[in-house]
């Protein structure tokens, strides 16, 4: 896919999407891809800018989907793909491209199903550096990045997401960019979707490091959240997202460290900028709405050996599972949760005190 143009005195252009295949079907319809192998594709690089924001890297190293109907892929291998990095800019850098293997935007409640799909050794782009402002995020979703804009459903059955990684956050003057979220898979919605992950392996994935900050009192970026799975099923307390994970292994995923904060400023204070933590939820990062009907159920699943990496600010919380503040109940049934490491030494952690984790 083509590169974005340089911005000159304006913002740089965004890199081309879908290194292997682009499918855009804004009207209701279907898309099926069977018995296919897409190998070694790259999306385009964002354009640089000397006095504007750098352009973002293109999304979808192998495949970019924008669908209003249903999309089904069966027996597909996506191997060794990489969206490109965001470019440096003044004031700020551009974001790294999302979706190392697949980047999908689902419209009007569309559904996405992945069956017998291998997502191996894909990576997303690094965030661009801000030469006079903020660094930007590394790309989300090392294997797959899905945005379900208006609900709908995402189902994964017999999926291997292994050895994927997200990009590092860009360095910045005013703030560092965070490492990309969702080393294996990143799925997010601002409505009330349902996600189902069954008989799958999420192993050996890595999220990016947070970018450094160079300005006085400036904070660094965090390490990327959810090295195995980053699942956001609703963006407001009133949402009713449903997440089900069954008979799946989430093993040996690593969340990247946070970056280094800037020096102490000339204000007479004693503290430099904050060096933020490594990524939260090295195995699984969860967020749902807290309305009646929202739920998280994890059954017959192994969550083992996931680690949030310590940087200048220490490791992040929830080496095994981290639940964000809107999530109220996480139910575990016959789940094995062992040898995970976060900043509190616990496998499970949450942002809110009243989150219930039933084991």
């Amino acid at each position: 896919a083509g590169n974005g143009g340089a911005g000159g005195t304006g913002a740089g252009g965004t890199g081309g999407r879908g290194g292997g295949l682009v499918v855009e079907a804004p009207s209701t319809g279907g898309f099926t891809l069977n018995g296919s192998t897409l190998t070694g594709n790259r999306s385009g690089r964002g354009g640089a800018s000397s006095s504007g924001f750098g352009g973002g890297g293109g999304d979808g190293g192998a495949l970019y989907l924008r669908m209003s109907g249903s999309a089904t892929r069966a027996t597909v291998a996506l191997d060794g793909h990489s969206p490109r990095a965001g470019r440096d800019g003044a004031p700020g850098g551009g974001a790294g491209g999302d979706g190392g293997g697949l980047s999908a935007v689902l419209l009007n409640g569309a559904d996405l199903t992945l069956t017998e799909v291998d997502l191996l050794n894909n990576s997303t782009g690094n965030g661009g550096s801000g030469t006079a402002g903020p660094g930007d995020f590394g790309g989300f979703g090392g294997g797959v990045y899905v945005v379900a804009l208006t609900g709908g459903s995402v189902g994964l059955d017999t999926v291997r997401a292994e050895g994927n990684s997200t990009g590092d956050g860009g360095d910045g003057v005013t703030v560092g960019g965070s490492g990309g979220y969702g080393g294996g898979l990143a799925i997010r919605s601002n409505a009330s979707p349902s996600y189902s992950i069954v008989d799958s392996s999420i192993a050996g994935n890595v999220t990016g490091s947070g970018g450094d900050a160079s300005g006085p009192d400036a904070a660094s970026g965090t390490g990327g959240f959810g090295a195995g799975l980053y699942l956001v099923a609703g963006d407001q307390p009133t949402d009713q997202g449903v997440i089900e994970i069954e008979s799946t292994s989430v093993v040996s995923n690593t969340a990247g460290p946070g970056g280094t904060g800037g020096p102490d400023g000339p204000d007479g204070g004693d503290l430099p900028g904050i060096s933020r933590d490594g990524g939260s939820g090295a195995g699984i990062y969860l967020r749902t709405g807290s309305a009646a009907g929202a739920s998280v159920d994890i059954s017959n699943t192994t969550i083992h050996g996931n680690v949030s990496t310590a940087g200048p600010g220490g490791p992040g919380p929830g080496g095994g599972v981290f639940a964000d503040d809107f999530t109220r109940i996480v139910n575990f049934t016959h789940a094995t949760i062992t040898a995970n490491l976060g900043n509190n030494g616990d496998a499970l952690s949450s942002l809110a005190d009243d989150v219930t984790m039933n084991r």
Side-chain angles (χ1 to χ4, degrees):
N3 297 325
T9 58
T14 301
R17 295 164 167 163
L21 181 63
V22 176
V23 178
E24 297 200 48
S27 299
T28 300
F31 169 72
T32 302
L33 182 65
N34 289 316
S36 302
T37 300
L38 290 81
T39 301
N41 300 289
R42 302 186 75 179
S43 60
R45 189 179 186 185
S49 178
S50 60
S51 59
F53 285 88
D59 298 336
L63 176 60
Y64 176 82
L65 292 174
R66 186 176 177 90
M67 301 291 296
S68 288
S70 60
T72 301
R73 268 154 308 289
T75 318
V76 177
L78 302 175
D79 188 349
H81 306 285
S82 55
R84 300 294 288 271
R87 294 298 295 272
D88 299 345
D98 298 322
L102 165 68
S103 180
V105 179
L106 307 180
L107 308 172
N108 302 323
D111 302 321
L112 173 68
T113 303
L114 303 179
T115 303
E116 296 183 8
V117 173
D118 289 343
L119 305 159
L120 308 175
N121 306 312
N122 302 290
S123 59
T124 63
N126 294 331
S129 295
T131 58
D136 214 326
F137 281 78
F140 286 23
V144 166
Y145 179 62
V146 180
V147 179
L149 291 177
T150 53
S153 67
V154 179
L156 284 71
D157 188 343
T158 321
V159 169
R160 283 200 305 154
E162 300 176 358
N164 303 289
S165 60
T166 61
D168 295 335
D171 296 336
V173 175
T174 57
V175 66
S178 293
Y181 296 178
L185 302 164
I187 309 173
R188 60 191 301 185
S189 176
N190 57 2
S192 297
S194 63
Y195 307 152
S196 173
I197 301 172
V198 179
D199 290 330
S200 295
S201 172
I202 315 297
N205 303 290
V206 178
T207 56
S209 303
D212 297 333
S214 59
D217 299 326
S220 74
T222 64
F225 297 172
L229 297 169
Y230 176 77
L231 304 175
V232 175
D235 217 19
Q236 300 295 326
T238 54
D239 289 332
Q240 303 176 35
V242 174
I243 297 173
E244 297 180 353
I245 302 172
E246 181 180 355
S247 301
T248 290
S249 61
V250 182
V251 175
S252 300
N253 301 286
T254 303
T260 301
D264 184 25
D267 56 3
D270 296 325
L271 298 175
I274 296 171
S275 294
R276 292 198 167 116
D277 293 341
S280 303
I284 305 173
Y285 180 101
L286 297 169
R287 183 174 187 171
T288 67
S290 51
S295 64
V296 179
D297 292 287
I298 300 175
S299 61
N300 301 305
T301 288
T302 297
I303 303 169
H304 173 81
N306 303 288
V307 176
S308 179
T309 305
V321 178
F322 179 85
D324 206 340
D325 53 346
F326 293 162
T327 308
R328 287 293 172 263
I329 298 177
V330 181
N331 295 313
F332 295 93
T333 305
H334 302 301
T336 301
I337 305 171
T338 56
N340 302 284
L341 181 62
N343 68 0
N344 51 12
D346 294 334
L348 309 178
S349 185
S350 63
L351 193 61
D353 293 336
D354 56 348
V355 174
T356 301
M357 295 200 181
N358 297 320
R359 295 182 62 182

